[in-house]
Amino acid sequence: MFKKLKKWFAPKPPIPEAWLTMPLADIPFLCIDLELTSLDLNDTKILSIGWVEGQGKQISLQSCYYQVISTTASLNQSPVIHGLTADHIAQGQPLRIALEALRQFASSHVWVFHCTNLDMTVLNGVFKKLNIPLPTVVTLDTLRFGLYQLTKNLRPPPPNAVVLPVCRARYNLPAVPAHNALDDAMATLELLFAQIQKFAPKNTDTLKALVVTDALQVFPASTD
Amino acid sequence: MNHIPQHILEFLRDSAPFEVLDEHEMNRLAQSITVAYFSQEDAPNILKQQQGGLFLIYSGQYSVKDSAESERHLSDGDYFGCDNLWQKQSNKIAVTVDSPGLVYCIPKKSFAQCVSTHPSIGVFFRNYTSEQIYSDQVDDSKSMWLYKPISEVISDGIVSEDINSSILQGVQVMSKSGVSSLVITDNQLLVGILTDRDIRNRVVAQQTDVNLAVSEIMTRDPVKISDQRTLFDALCVMTEHNVHHLPVVDKSSGVPLGMLTASDMIRHQRGNVLFVINELTKAPSLYELTRLSWQLPHYFSKHAKRLGDFDIAGKVLSQATDIMTRKLIGFYQQQHGEAPMEFCWLVYGSQAREDQTMGSDQDNGLLFATEPNPEQSAYFADMAEYVCRGLDKCGIKLCTGNIMASNPALRMSIKQAVQQAQSWVREPSPEAILNCNIFLDVRAVAGNRFLLSQLHVERKELLKQSRFIAALTRHASDGHVPLSMFQKFVYKKGLPKKDCIDMKNSGVAIINNLVRIYSLANGLTMPSIPHRLEGLLSHAGLSSKDVKNLRDIWLFLNRLRWRHQIQNKVTDNYVSISDLSSIEKYQLKEAMRVIRRTQQAAVFKFAGGLG
């Protein structure tokens, strides 16, 4: 109990100053999405991972990465959702290769997720399990960012208001077929740019300005 | 292989002209693309970084000036920066962001790579801002030859012989020139023709003296055609009169200019397009006529494979309706005797313009030199009733607006018709204008056609009055093309499908109205749109580019609605946008823009700028 309380009251790890003073237009973002076998964090396995880089409201499609992960875990009902079948999975790569590639972006990019906590919990877990050291990561959550922009004038938010397609529609972005990791990562990054545009149209703001939205988080480097 | 998000590939595949790329090429193109979130603040920076490239809008709305042309309002699926693709020095692009969104930036280099393997992509963009894209497909259509005037087709130098020559002289001329028929003239004018068949049947078989005058054995007063009509008309005349040789004469002087033969036509034509018309002409009874008429839809769906094949569908159907009408009048007269006075059977609207579709109903009337007496009236009332019902049996629906010869109000003397026109001009009420739009597209189909020419002469000046033309123009500018300010299709509510465009009222009819206005102002009386446009070429008012554009667009819109009717087996004009290919969608948008501009120009010219 005391341990838990201590954790709550402990100061949040600070965001490195170098990030905070960087103008939003200059920040390299890496938008990541995972497809999982289930939403139960104790049991879930990564089926596929996709990411794409963006900077200054521009996304070079050359930076797209997508990898199906070979796993022996039961797929449960997940093929219905993301279309990955046992055949796809069998042709996948070991998770280690994807994680080694992802790790290269830890210090250079702000990582963007639609629901950071879920994906980062899973990622932290697998990095630890495979014994791959992960440096400190700064993350930005488009779900929280969207919630902040929504609840400023509307609270509580209507049900479903934070799911990705609904979020995108609020920023007049076209509907995209969801549930492929790369498609979702792309959709999330596009959403982030729309959110930044709405938040700070003048382009002179730094990352510090986003602190108020509660979308930024820091995940310290694994110490063990 | 690098992965690209599915929705991006799908969007590219839906974007003309990149649909022609194969999977590998598409992937290579996609990898080179930068997706940019375009807002007013970011636009200058992005335009600078992506200078010289091609921009494809994925979402948002923008006002763009990227060439010498005026500013364009653009939205998803539109391109800008096209002109820069061909120049070393890039034009400056000015973008006003009306609603921010995503824009795909295609680098010049990877664009060039696409063009090198698919030159058609280059052609598309060279013409992109000059609004000529829809005409590409029209020009390559294999049915276009049917719209050619005969004058363009007949070769120079006619083979003819004077009426006083001997049979031998005539036959020697034919043999020397290697032709199967000979035009016989008297004082330069056509009096007869001599064919191989005549020589076989009337000379050789009967052992006629070859020193006799050629006039003894020639076919006198042959069926002929003016050089200003089209090949299609010629084909119809030949089929209807069952002749294989058709002399062509100058429209005004009547001097023979050449000869069209059945084999000339076959050379041009693949497959026997007019088989049905031929059969209709031979129908011996109402029953047989009805049976054949119901084959028409099957005939169209069987023979029209490519979009261009529909160009003549409206004409074929109108000609078929003409023949049905003449056959029905003939059947009636066989039973009830010849007409007690001269009459002219008129057709209005789409049948007159020869752009009928499967959904068109009949619009017709009768014209007399003077008012018939009660007894004559009764004959024509009965005949009109018989013909209109007969057409209905043949599949040409009765007119819901009662614009039919069976309606006594539509059986008029020339004097009454002129009075009617006077009332339209004096008081161009909305109802009068609607009437004009129907009755001013008119064609004589049977009886004494001269009566209609007379009516045209008598009301020509009347209908040219500028106040009347202005009223028609204002009405024509009321019809809105279904495009928003940002070139998005606007869908009317209450149509059978969500993404429907009413191809008739939002497209074809607007062009029909505009062309009618220009024709009236210039005193042109022929009803068909291609003919009218051709006639307008030599008159002031529309540039030759406008004329060509309007003709191509008119053909294109008609093709789309015909294909819709045939493929979906319906008779309405509600074409679903999702049924169109990406290039057709693009062409349709461009077509609508040109129509809107022509509307504005007409308002400016005829209605003093007040729409």
Side-chain angles (χ1 to χ4, degrees):
Chain A
M1 181 69 190
F2 179 71
K3 216 175 170 185
K4 237 181 191 172
L5 271 179
K6 193 178 163 191
K7 203 176 168 188
W8 278 355
F9 288 109
K12 281 185 181 170
I15 299 165
E17 196 62 20
W19 280 128
L20 285 178
T21 54
M22 196 183 280
L24 288 172
D26 294 344
I27 297 175
F29 293 104
L30 184 77
C31 196
I32 306 161
D33 189 61
L34 309 175
E35 299 304 331
L36 304 170
T37 51
S38 83
L39 289 180
D40 175 1
L41 287 183
N42 296 317
D43 181 37
T44 191
K45 293 278 184 311
I46 299 177
L47 285 173
S48 68
I49 182 165
W51 65 70
V52 58
E53 295 170 59
Q55 188 176 16
K57 305 253 174 79
Q58 298 179 58
I59 306 164
S60 164
L61 295 184
Q62 216 164 3
S63 70
C64 288
Y65 177 95
Y66 177 72
Q67 190 59 63
V68 177
I69 307 301
S70 59
T71 170
T72 49
S74 156
L75 295 180
N76 300 329
Q77 282 302 300
S78 62
V80 184
I81 299 166
H82 37 62
L84 286 175
T85 62
D87 274 354
H88 291 117
I89 308 292
Q91 289 165 21
Q93 293 271 358
L95 183 57
R96 176 176 292 277
I97 293 178
L99 293 186
E100 289 287 358
L102 180 57
R103 186 173 157 256
Q104 309 300 320
F105 293 97
S107 311
S108 58
H109 287 65
V110 169
W111 290 11
V112 181
F113 299 92
H114 196 72
C115 193
T116 303
N117 277 340
L118 172 69
D119 287 356
M120 273 309 283
T121 306
V122 174
L123 281 175
N124 268 327
V126 290
F127 271 111
K128 207 176 219 170
K129 200 169 154 197
L130 294 177
N131 243 325
I132 304 168
L134 181 65
T136 296
V137 178
V138 177
T139 62
L140 179 49
D141 190 343
T142 51
L143 188 150
R144 285 200 190 178
F145 199 164
L147 203 56
Y148 169 79
Q149 292 191 322
L150 183 66
T151 50
K152 269 201 306 186
N153 42 25
L154 188 74
R155 82 179 63 216
N160 257 340
V162 294
V163 300
L164 186 55
V166 181
C167 262
R168 281 174 62 90
R170 263 204 311 279
Y171 297 90
N172 289 321
L173 292 169
V176 295
H179 301 305
N180 163 295
L182 178 57
D183 275 66
D184 277 1
M186 183 75 194
T188 305
L189 191 51
E190 291 170 356
L191 171 62
L192 174 68
F193 286 155
Q195 289 174 331
I196 291 178
Q197 175 60 32
K198 188 177 170 195
F199 184 84
K202 285 283 169 274
N203 252 339
T204 45
D205 283 300
T206 61
L207 192 65
K208 200 169 190 167
L210 292 187
V211 171
V212 63
T213 66
D214 207 24
L216 292 171
Q217 271 174 279
V218 174
F219 291 82
S222 40
T223 43
D224 46 336
Chain B
M1 191 172 72
N2 209 326
H3 285 272
I4 300 294
Q6 281 309 313
H7 66 273
I8 292 180
L9 289 176
E10 267 162 40
F11 180 66
L12 288 173
R13 268 195 290 270
D14 277 347
S15 301
F18 292 108
E19 62 200 353
V20 297
L21 299 181
D22 67 26
E23 204 183 329
H24 176 72
E25 294 166 327
M26 186 62 95
N27 243 292
R28 196 169 53 186
L29 172 69
Q31 271 184 47
S32 72
I33 288 178
T34 297
V35 178
Y37 189 83
F38 239 75
S39 63
Q40 191 63 67
E41 293 75 18
D42 293 305
N45 195 27
I46 295 166
L47 287 168
K48 203 170 128 200
Q49 288 177 22
Q50 307 291 338
Q51 204 182 23
L54 175 67
F55 299 85
L56 168 59
I57 297 171
Y58 181 58
S59 71
Q61 299 182 331
Y62 315 86
S63 304
V64 179
K65 181 156 171 47
D66 62 347
S67 67
E69 311 267 326
S70 57
E71 184 180 69
R72 298 180 297 147
H73 300 284
L74 306 176
S75 61
D76 47 295
D78 290 327
Y79 295 93
F80 58 94
C82 311
D83 282 6
N84 289 343
L85 296 168
W86 314 105
Q87 289 155 6
K88 286 220 168 65
Q89 205 76 44
S90 296
N91 280 335
K92 198 170 153 31
I93 301 177
V95 176
T96 309
V97 179
D98 300 287
S99 147
L102 299 162
V103 174
Y104 290 6
C105 315
I106 302 172
K108 201 173 196 162
K109 213 173 118 192
S110 55
F111 175 77
Q113 204 168 30
C114 293
V115 173
S116 69
T117 43
H118 297 277
S120 66
I121 294 178
V123 174
F124 179 94
F125 285 104
R126 272 188 193 280
N127 295 331
Y128 190 81
T129 35
S130 55
E131 294 177 347
Q132 283 175 352
I133 290 169
Y134 37 77
S135 61
D136 292 349
Q137 290 193 337
V138 174
D139 286 339
D140 71 10
S141 144
K142 69 177 175 201
S143 339
M144 278 315 292
W145 66 274
L146 286 167
Y147 276 106
K148 276 190 193 159
I150 295 169
S151 55
E152 276 181 25
V153 183
I154 49 169
S155 48
D156 303 333
I158 177 179
V159 184
S160 68
E161 197 57 38
D162 189 80
I163 191 165
N164 295 317
S165 316
S166 69
I167 297 174
L168 183 62
Q169 279 171 313
V171 173
Q172 281 170 343
V173 169
M174 284 171 75
S175 161
K176 201 173 131 198
S177 316
V179 294
S180 60
S181 57
L182 183 67
V183 171
I184 310 296
T185 56
D186 184 7
N187 264 330
Q188 310 284 324
L189 293 181
L190 173 77
V191 288
I193 61 168
L194 185 63
T195 65
D196 278 356
R197 189 178 162 152
D198 295 335
I199 296 164
R200 188 172 69 236
N201 294 342
R202 297 177 194 163
V203 183
V204 182
Q206 299 186 11
Q207 301 202 338
T208 310
D209 180 358
V210 291
N211 293 312
L212 287 177
V214 73
S215 56
E216 296 287 322
I217 57 150
M218 70 182 187
T219 303
R220 284 181 185 273
D221 296 325
V223 187
K224 57 182 189 274
I225 193 162
S226 125
D227 65 328
Q228 294 305 307
R229 314 257 319 257
T230 62
L231 271 178
F232 184 84
D233 296 325
L235 205 48
C236 292
V237 170
M238 289 166 89
T239 321
E240 196 180 353
H241 294 274
N242 192 26
V243 295
H244 294 109
H245 298 89
L246 188 63
V248 180
V249 296
D250 183 273
K251 196 183 177 197
S252 40
S253 67
V255 170
L257 299 170
M259 181 79 82
L260 277 175
T261 66
S263 43
D264 286 341
M265 304 312 258
I266 289 163
R267 260 210 313 275
H268 280 293
Q269 174 202 7
R270 263 187 261 153
N272 200 347
V273 205
L274 294 174
F275 177 74
V276 175
I277 294 213
N278 193 10
E279 293 289 295
L280 281 177
T281 311
K282 291 183 192 152
S285 65
L286 177 60
Y287 170 77
E288 191 61 11
L289 189 69
T290 319
R291 191 187 66 78
L292 287 166
S293 303
W294 283 98
Q295 309 276 325
L296 281 168
H298 303 288
Y299 164 79
F300 287 127
S301 52
K302 197 169 154 215
H303 290 275
K305 297 273 185 258
R306 296 173 46 208
L307 195 52
D309 296 339
F310 293 115
D311 286 349
I312 54 156
K315 274 201 114 180
V316 170
L317 187 56
S318 302
Q319 299 275 0
T321 314
D322 289 2
I323 290 172
M324 292 174 206
T325 309
R326 288 196 280 271
K327 293 295 283 189
L328 286 165
I329 292 175
F331 293 156
Y332 181 83
Q333 295 190 341
Q334 276 168 20
Q335 290 169 27
H336 299 89
E338 294 290 310
M341 67 184 287
E342 289 216 310
F343 69 94
C344 178
W345 185 278
L346 301 179
V347 297
Y348 300 112
S350 62
Q351 192 187 346
R353 289 189 306 266
E354 300 177 271
D355 56 19
Q356 260 172 281
T357 66
M358 302 307 287
S360 305
D361 50 13
Q362 43 177 306
D363 293 323
N364 47 43
L366 277 167
L367 187 66
F368 308 108
T370 54
E371 259 177 79
N373 64 31
E375 197 185 318
Q376 292 165 329
S377 271
Y379 176 92
F380 287 116
D382 195 39
M383 180 183 91
E385 188 68 29
Y386 175 84
V387 175
C388 292
R389 297 224 164 270
L391 285 172
D392 184 39
K393 281 183 193 153
C394 290
I396 315 295
K397 286 181 288 188
L398 293 171
C399 175
T400 47
N402 204 12
I403 300 174
M404 290 185 289
S406 54
N407 174 357
L410 285 153
R411 299 194 295 268
M412 278 186 287
S413 67
I414 292 179
K415 195 174 156 199
Q416 286 170 321
V418 172
Q419 280 166 354
Q420 183 192 41
Q422 278 165 343
S423 78
W424 293 335
V425 174
R426 209 178 305 125
E427 201 183 337
S429 64
E431 198 199 338
I433 287 174
L434 281 179
N435 280 333
C436 290
N437 287 347
I438 298 165
F439 293 124
L440 291 182
D441 294 345
V442 56
R443 198 159 53 83
V445 157
N448 184 353
R449 291 156 205 227
F450 179 66
L451 295 176
L452 177 61
S453 321
Q454 224 177 320
L455 173 60
H456 277 321
V457 171
E458 292 202 21
R459 68 181 183 190
K460 196 168 181 171
E461 291 308 313
L462 189 64
L463 296 176
K464 268 192 191 175
Q465 287 183 21
S466 59
R467 211 173 64 92
F468 174 63
I469 299 272
L472 285 184
T473 310
R474 277 193 288 273
H475 177 264
S477 69
D478 283 348
H480 290 295
V481 299
L483 271 193
S484 75
M485 165 115 159
F486 289 99
Q487 324 299 336
K488 275 175 178 274
F489 288 118
V490 177
Y491 304 116
K492 260 199 206 123
K493 295 226 167 72
L495 296 182
K497 277 195 201 150
K498 244 186 181 170
D499 65 338
C500 282
I501 299 276
D502 182 343
M503 227 30 105
K504 183 181 173 193
N505 291 314
S506 304
V508 176
I510 301 181
I511 301 187
N512 288 347
N513 291 345
L514 291 169
V515 172
R516 183 181 312 110
I517 290 164
Y518 278 97
S519 303
L520 285 174
N522 289 297
L524 300 179
T525 54
M526 70 287 246
S528 119
I529 296 292
H531 283 164
R532 279 181 171 173
L533 285 169
E534 198 152 316
L536 287 170
L537 268 180
S538 45
H539 290 80
L542 279 172
S543 76
S544 60
K545 187 183 158 206
D546 290 342
V547 166
K548 188 178 174 305
N549 277 347
L550 280 178
R551 189 203 66 158
D552 290 348
I553 291 169
W554 185 84
L555 286 171
F556 175 64
L557 298 182
N558 273 312
R559 286 170 173 194
L560 292 184
R561 64 174 175 155
W562 262 99
R563 185 180 61 184
H564 161 74
Q565 293 188 352
I566 297 294
Q567 287 183 347
N568 301 321
K569 297 193 170 58
V570 292
T571 54
D572 63 52
N573 293 292
Y574 304 125
V575 177
S576 199
I577 291 299
S578 49
D579 285 347
L580 305 184
S581 73
S582 57
I583 184 117
E584 286 163 359
K585 276 180 220 163
Y586 174 72
Q587 289 172 324
L588 182 58
K589 267 190 193 177
E590 288 299 290
M592 292 298 177
R593 286 179 55 197
V594 174
I595 296 177
R596 179 156 61 195
R597 236 192 18 230
T598 315
Q599 265 180 323
Q600 288 160 351
V603 168
F604 189 75
K605 186 172 165 63
F606 295 119
L610 300 172

